[in-house]
């Protein structure tokens, strides 16, 4: 799996460029939005793991972007780290229930921000940290790539394994076909969303090969969810 998708929302170009450069150097997949509306569009296109969100933005404010991320069932698991200038809203960020997962006051150290992004990634993407995931009678070991269901081992191809790891990292979350394409096949893959249906079908077949029930749910008009 890749090292994590980070969206930087910052209207000041120089600050944004420093962040993009440093985060790409750390191996993250980085996208950038210069205002709140663009941020919401990019998040809708493909939900990142972590949003680094400046409070003071033109048009839609950072706080409104955060509120909308956390109000949407499809994106509320996205981790939000808010940035604010001490002279502006530093104290208010602390006082308000923004729904943000973390916040930093400008000027901040980039190394500290990277550390906090990693902390959020461990929370939202445990499968990338070499942990063992459980869902009902299914166990997935992301280090040995072994999957078991009840007493039997489940044989999966690499794409089916990544699909299951994605589902098991966030049980109950509804993933759109586009989000799954992005997460499992990668941002550059120019594939039809029907590819996702084919591989979800294979995953289901493998998980139910012992006569077990179907743990995956097809959500009409939305995508797929585990449980
Ligand atoms: Ca700003």
């Amino acid at each position: 799996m890749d090292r994590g998708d980070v969206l930087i929302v910052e209207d000041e170009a120089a600050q944004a460029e420093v962040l993009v450069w440093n985060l790409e150097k750390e191996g993250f997949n980085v996208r950038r939005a210069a205002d709140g509306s663009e941020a919401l569009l990019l998040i809708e296109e493909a939900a990142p793991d972590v949003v680094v969100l400046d409070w003071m933005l033109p048009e839609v404010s950072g706080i409104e972007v955060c509120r909308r991320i956390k109000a949407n069932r499809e994106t509320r698991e996205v981790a939000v780290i808010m940035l604010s200038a001490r002279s502006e809203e530093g104290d208010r960020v602390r006082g308000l229930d923004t729904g943000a997962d973390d916040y930093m006051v400008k000027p901040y150290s980039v190394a500290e921000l990277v550390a906090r992004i990693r902390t959020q990634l461990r929370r939202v993407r445990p499968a990338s940290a070499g942990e063992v995931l459980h869902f009902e009678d299914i166990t997935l070991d992301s280090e040995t790539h072994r999957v078991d269901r009840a007493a039997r081992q489940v044989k999966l191809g690499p794409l089916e394994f990544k699909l299951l790891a994605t589902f098991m990292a966030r049980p109950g979350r509804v993933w759109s076909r586009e989000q799954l394409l992005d997460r499992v096949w990668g941002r550059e893959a120019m594939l039809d969303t029907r590819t996702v249906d084919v591989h979800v079908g294979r995953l289901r077949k493998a998980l139910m090969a012992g006569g077990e029930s179907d743990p995956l749910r097809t959500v009409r008009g939305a995508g797929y969810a585990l449980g």
Side-chain angles (χ1 to χ4, degrees):
M1 275 196 199
D2 57 285
R3 307 273 293 277
D5 300 324
V6 180
L7 175 65
I8 293 167
V9 191
E10 169 64 84
D11 56 313
E12 281 133 278
Q15 289 190 32
E17 273 166 35
V18 169
L19 277 183
V20 170
W21 190 83
N22 279 285
L23 297 182
E24 282 183 342
K25 194 164 62 99
E26 295 293 327
F28 300 119
N29 296 319
V30 186
R31 287 182 296 166
R32 190 207 151 189
D35 61 57
S37 315
E38 192 187 357
L40 290 168
L41 280 175
L42 289 177
I43 292 165
E44 194 183 338
E45 204 176 281
D49 299 301
V50 179
V51 179
V52 176
L53 183 59
D54 188 29
W55 174 291
M56 292 293 281
L57 293 169
E59 297 181 47
V60 186
S61 75
I63 210 73
E64 178 61 15
V65 172
C66 182
R67 202 189 60 73
R68 290 197 206 171
I69 291 171
K70 295 297 179 181
N72 182 337
R73 197 163 69 117
E74 281 199 34
T75 58
R76 69 177 169 212
E77 298 296 322
V78 171
V80 177
I81 301 175
M82 296 272 317
L83 303 176
S84 79
R86 196 178 296 279
S87 58
E88 300 164 358
E89 273 94 357
D91 293 326
R92 282 177 57 199
V93 173
R94 244 167 263 126
L96 282 171
D97 179 19
T98 60
D101 298 277
D102 198 358
Y103 75 93
M104 294 189 79
V105 175
K106 292 180 181 181
Y108 54 85
S109 113
V110 174
E112 172 71 16
L113 177 62
V114 167
R116 294 200 189 187
I117 289 172
R118 289 198 198 292
T119 302
Q120 293 300 326
L121 276 171
R122 273 195 294 277
R123 191 177 64 77
V124 299
R125 291 182 74 172
S128 58
E131 286 172 31
V132 178
L133 303 179
H134 300 275
F135 177 78
E136 293 177 355
D137 58 352
I138 305 168
T139 307
L140 179 146
D141 187 325
S142 60
E143 210 150 81
T144 62
H145 277 223
R146 186 188 161 109
V147 175
D148 291 282
R149 182 152 199 202
R152 70 182 178 91
Q153 185 174 357
V154 180
K155 296 285 185 195
L156 294 178
L159 288 167
E160 285 72 34
F161 179 86
K162 281 177 90 172
L163 264 176
L164 182 61
T166 302
F167 285 124
M168 286 185 70
R170 299 185 202 174
R173 174 184 161 159
V174 179
W175 295 86
S176 71
R177 287 169 178 80
E178 289 77 14
Q179 287 170 338
L180 290 170
L181 265 185
D182 191 54
R183 180 61 58 92
V184 174
W185 281 263
R187 201 175 298 289
E188 290 77 24
M190 297 294 284
L191 292 166
D192 196 281
T193 50
R194 272 172 300 185
T195 306
V196 176
D197 299 330
V198 169
H199 288 273
V200 167
R202 286 185 195 159
L203 174 59
R204 275 188 158 134
K205 202 174 159 201
L207 288 173
M208 296 163 69
E212 301 95 335
S213 63
D214 187 355
L216 292 166
R217 203 155 47 87
T218 304
V219 184
R220 228 186 146 81
Y224 295 102
L226 178 68

